Amino acid sequence: AQSVTQLGSHVSVSEGALVLLRCNYSSSVPPYLFWYVQYPNQGLQLLLKYTSAATLVKGINGFEAEFKKSETSFHLTKPSAHMSDAAEYFCAVSRAGANSKLTFGKGITLSVRP
Amino acid sequence: DTAVSQTPKYLVTQMGNDKSIKCEQNLGHDTMYWYKQDSKKFLKIMFSYNNKELIINETVPNRFSPKSPDKAHLNLHINSLELGDSAVYFCASSQVDSDYNEQFFGPGTRLTVL
């Protein structure tokens, strides 16, 4: 069984401030972890992924995430928020195999204030 | 070139009607998926097909019938549409023997049942 917890539904930051979006996972096998971004009325775009190669993962648009097995966490960060980062962010977990599926967290809405 | 495409992008219909959504991928992947995103933006797997074989059927009502004529296509037919079927439906594809089974998403089909 696998699950993802994203605490809170909305995060608001000022432009230029640190962005921190939290994600905790549960998985009975070594997980693959992903962060997706969804801009208004658009599809899902992959920001970054953890696949056991490195615990600190760098993604697109300046985002990065750190896998911490002891904390079962995969928090997403960006040092300096930009107005264009305003979107919905989803953390997801999956595993290897033909019957693999992505299990998503409920998502977090990021707002960026001028 | 669009990697995963869906048609139509918008679908508005009356309760009780039957409708289909089509999905095509040109990535050469062996597995395709349908996800449903509800009004609260929660994303959940519905089905997956691997090499045209149904792998995951996530307790979806049997009014929903996926069909995979070949590895590049996965269509979703919905009978007797209900108000609660209103959602955004995303198609995705992946190659399950790849290192991390990354799923690539289509742009979504927004279904509105009146």
Side-chain angles (χ1 to χ4, degrees), chain A residues 18-92:
Chain A
L18 171 72
V19 175
L20 170 60
L21 304 180
R22 299 178 186 274
C23 172
N24 289 88
Y25 71 91
S26 171
S27 177
S28 56
V29 297
Y32 298 145
L33 293 161
F34 305 84
W35 275 99
Y36 284 87
V37 61
Q38 185 178 29
Y39 297 103
N41 297 314
Q42 293 191 27
L44 294 163
Q45 181 180 4
L46 182 67
L47 273 178
L48 49 79
K49 55 186 177 282
Y50 167 75
T51 60
S52 78
T55 57
L56 183 61
V57 180
K58 293 188 184 299
I60 61 171
N61 301 338
F63 285 93
E64 62 181 39
E66 186 172 9
F67 173 73
K68 292 187 177 180
K69 185 177 179 180
S70 60
E71 299 176 9
T72 60
S73 69
F74 190 56
H75 301 331
L76 182 71
T77 60
K78 181 174 180 177
S80 176
H82 192 273
M83 297 296 290
S84 61
D85 294 327
E88 193 82 14
Y89 291 80
F90 294 93
C91 182

Side-chain angles (χ1 to χ4, degrees), chain A residues 32 34 36 38 40-46 49-51 87-88 90 94-107 109, chain B residues 9-10 31 33 35 37 40-45 48 50 55-56 58 88 90 96 98-108 110:
Chain A
Y32 298 145
F34 305 84
Y36 284 87
Q38 185 178 29
N41 297 314
Q42 293 191 27
L44 294 163
Q45 181 180 4
L46 182 67
K49 55 186 177 282
Y50 167 75
T51 60
E88 193 82 14
F90 294 93
S94 76
R95 58 186 175 87
N99 60 350
S100 173
K101 62 181 181 182
L102 274 171
T103 298
F104 286 89
K106 61 182 175 60
T109 302
Chain B
K9 188 170 174 63
Y10 299 97
T31 303
Y33 311 79
Y35 288 86
Q37 185 174 43
K40 296 184 178 179
K41 299 193 176 178
F42 185 64
L43 279 151
K44 193 174 186 327
I45 182 80
S48 77
N50 176 259
I55 301 297
I56 294 175
E58 200 79 356
V88 181
F90 286 101
V96 292
S98 63
D99 288 343
Y100 37 81
N101 199 8
E102 178 182 344
Q103 295 185 23
F104 294 78
F105 283 80
R110 183 175 294 274

Side-chain angles (χ1 to χ4, degrees), chain B:
Chain B
D1 284 343
T2 303
V4 182
S5 60
Q6 296 178 228
T7 54
K9 188 170 174 63
Y10 299 97
L11 185 53
V12 181
T13 188
Q14 299 287 331
M15 261 196 319
N17 284 349
D18 303 337
K19 290 293 179 185
S20 292
I21 306 171
K22 296 187 176 183
C23 178
E24 177 180 1
Q25 55 96 3
N26 63 6
L27 298 168
H29 289 163
D30 61 3
T31 303
M32 297 184 71
Y33 311 79
W34 279 110
Y35 288 86
K36 179 181 179 181
Q37 185 174 43
D38 64 22
S39 59
K40 296 184 178 179
K41 299 193 176 178
F42 185 64
L43 279 151
K44 193 174 186 327
I45 182 80
M46 299 174 70
F47 303 102
S48 77
Y49 270 75
N50 176 259
N51 288 316
K52 301 195 300 175
E53 180 184 349
L54 180 65
I55 301 297
I56 294 175
N57 182 344
E58 200 79 356
T59 60
V60 178
N62 57 15
R63 297 184 296 104
F64 290 78
S65 52
K67 285 188 172 52
S68 183
D70 55 56
K71 286 198 310 182
H73 296 85
L74 180 63
N75 303 322
L76 183 65
H77 188 75
I78 316 171
N79 289 328
S80 303
L81 278 156
E82 301 177 356
L83 293 176
D85 298 331
S86 295
V88 181
Y89 293 85
F90 286 101
C91 177
S93 73
S94 73
Q95 183 65 27
V96 292
D97 59 359
S98 63
D99 288 343
Y100 37 81
N101 199 8
E102 178 182 344
Q103 295 185 23
F104 294 78
F105 283 80
T109 296
R110 183 175 294 274
L111 171 65
T112 303
V113 182
L114 304 175

